Amino acid sequence: MDTHSQSPTFFDVENSVDVVNARMSAATDPRLREIMTAVVKHLHALVREVSLTPEEWFKAIRFLTEVGHTCTEWRQEFILLSDTLGVSMLVDSINQHRPEGSTENSVLGPFYLPGAPRYPMGTNICLDGLGEPVVVSGRVTDSRGEPVAGALLDVWQTNDNGFYDVQQKGIQPEWNLRGVFETGADGRYWFRSAKPRYYPIPDDGPVGGMLKAMGRHPYRPAHLHFIISAPGYDTVVTQIFAPDCPYLEEDAVFGVKQSLVGDFRHENDPKEAARLEVANPFWTVEWNVILAPTTAA
Ligand code: BEZ
Ligand code: FE
């Protein structure tokens, strides 16, 4: 009796996706099934499209191994890889369901530190005295323009040499250019700082090597980071960008959006500078935040 009347299906180039995906158990979580089916489909398509050689695949595996080995408590090279390939911003963008006009997100980046000092309004967070002064102010409102009282603005940025305090421990004062401000009943906030400058993302690891091999620079345009939170509203992780920065349209991690380009103004007004207790000339930027109600999970 012929027990092999139907020949078995072995893996080949034409059926590779179906053969691999057919191995998945019927009990697989449906969302995991959907994602893994697509991973296999697109990975196999990529291999076929570029006719990947064994040497190239081993090079890719060595690269990913190095990315893993570069990760420490302070260095997350896989996030850098995701950021520089535009995946972080894409994942964020397709999951943004806030009403039109609400303040948009940007990348968090690896340099956020929870627990920054809470300061009274107007405090100067630039503790190393470097750079040009900037006065940052604005209002936090809901979409009807009503002020949001008690909103927390957690702010951080690089110093004038393009480094975060955590990258220069022992060189910069602790908590340099970081602080948390709370809006009052009018929803307003203001603080003093130094005008941000462009800087390179950490590029001494495999992701930096990848950028170099692709002829890409590692620079992020000058920006200030914010996390804005208030009870009942969606937390916004975002940045404001300086419009005069040469890298504005070339962010290494694709975090710039038109709505996040700040209206930085250069002021030469000794009287106003004295009133604000900053050196003249100085910069101002007024940036308003519109929060959306918390979205149901
Ligand atoms: C940042 O803006 O701090 C940042 C974002 C993504 C990667 C590296 C740094
Ligand atoms: Fe940054």
Side-chain angles (χ1 to χ4, degrees):
M1 198 174 97
D2 180 10
T3 54
H4 297 281
S5 54
Q6 233 186 327
S7 51
T9 309
F10 293 116
F11 180 103
D12 66 28
V13 172
E14 273 70 44
N15 68 14
S16 69
V17 173
D18 294 340
V19 168
V20 173
N21 281 334
R23 291 283 173 91
M24 223 176 333
S25 151
T28 306
D29 170 83
R31 179 62 174 157
L32 181 64
R33 166 182 286 277
E34 184 183 0
I35 293 170
M36 290 312 297
T37 301
V39 166
V40 171
K41 177 174 144 192
H42 291 286
L43 206 50
H44 286 216
L46 164 91
V47 170
R48 268 192 287 269
E49 182 180 322
V50 302
S51 300
L52 202 70
T53 66
E55 293 74 26
E56 288 164 339
W57 183 231
F58 281 123
K59 196 169 174 182
I61 287 173
R62 270 202 305 276
F63 169 76
L64 290 172
T65 305
E66 213 188 317
V67 170
H69 286 164
T70 307
C71 292
T72 65
E73 196 191 342
W74 291 105
R75 175 85 177 244
Q76 232 302 353
E77 196 76 358
F78 274 111
I79 294 183
L80 272 189
L81 183 60
S82 160
D83 292 344
T84 51
L85 293 180
V87 179
S88 304
M89 282 306 290
L90 186 59
V91 170
D92 185 69
S93 301
I94 66 167
N95 285 284
Q96 280 308 301
H97 306 297
R98 292 186 194 132
E100 180 102 13
S102 308
T103 298
E104 296 186 280
N105 279 355
S106 187
V107 277
L108 173 68
F111 299 116
Y112 173 64
L113 274 188
R118 288 273 283 263
Y119 288 126
M121 223 54 99
T123 298
N124 191 348
I125 60 171
C126 177
L127 307 180
D128 63 8
L130 299 178
E132 302 170 278
V134 62
V135 179
V136 186
S137 65
R139 274 181 94 211
V140 181
T141 66
D142 64 16
S143 54
R144 293 162 308 158
E146 296 297 327
V148 177
L152 296 181
L153 296 104
D154 199 336
V155 186
W156 71 105
Q157 64 167 90
T158 56
N159 76 349
D160 198 51
N161 293 327
F163 293 103
Y164 288 91
D165 55 354
V166 288
Q167 294 176 290
Q168 291 194 311
K169 284 179 187 286
I171 298 173
Q172 292 190 36
E174 230 185 315
W175 301 110
N176 191 27
L177 294 155
R178 295 177 192 269
V180 179
F181 297 89
E182 182 175 348
T183 57
D186 56 2
R188 290 202 168 274
Y189 74 90
W190 79 281
F191 60 92
R192 291 168 294 156
S193 187
K195 188 164 186 266
R197 279 168 53 101
Y198 64 81
Y199 66 88
I201 61 168
D203 64 343
D204 56 346
V207 170
M210 176 193 80
L211 293 180
K212 197 176 257 170
M214 293 165 78
R216 279 178 56 179
H217 68 71
Y219 292 102
R220 294 223 60 215
H223 59 273
L224 279 135
H225 290 266
F226 286 85
I227 297 177
I228 306 130
S229 58
Y233 296 92
D234 235 18
T235 295
V236 178
V237 176
T238 195
Q239 301 170 28
I240 51 175
F241 295 88
D244 55 352
C245 181
Y247 290 103
L248 187 69
E249 292 174 39
E250 291 186 30
D251 186 358
V253 302
F254 310 98
V256 183
K257 293 175 180 174
Q258 188 60 50
S259 69
L260 302 179
V261 179
D263 184 16
F264 281 74
R265 293 169 188 230
H266 203 207
E267 311 282 356
N268 189 345
D269 184 342
K271 257 180 140 169
E272 185 63 356
R275 188 184 74 78
L276 293 166
E277 296 181 39
V278 291
N280 191 59
F282 60 100
W283 293 85
T284 60
V285 56
E286 192 177 339
W287 188 63
N288 297 322
V289 176
I290 299 175
L291 297 180
T294 306
T295 43

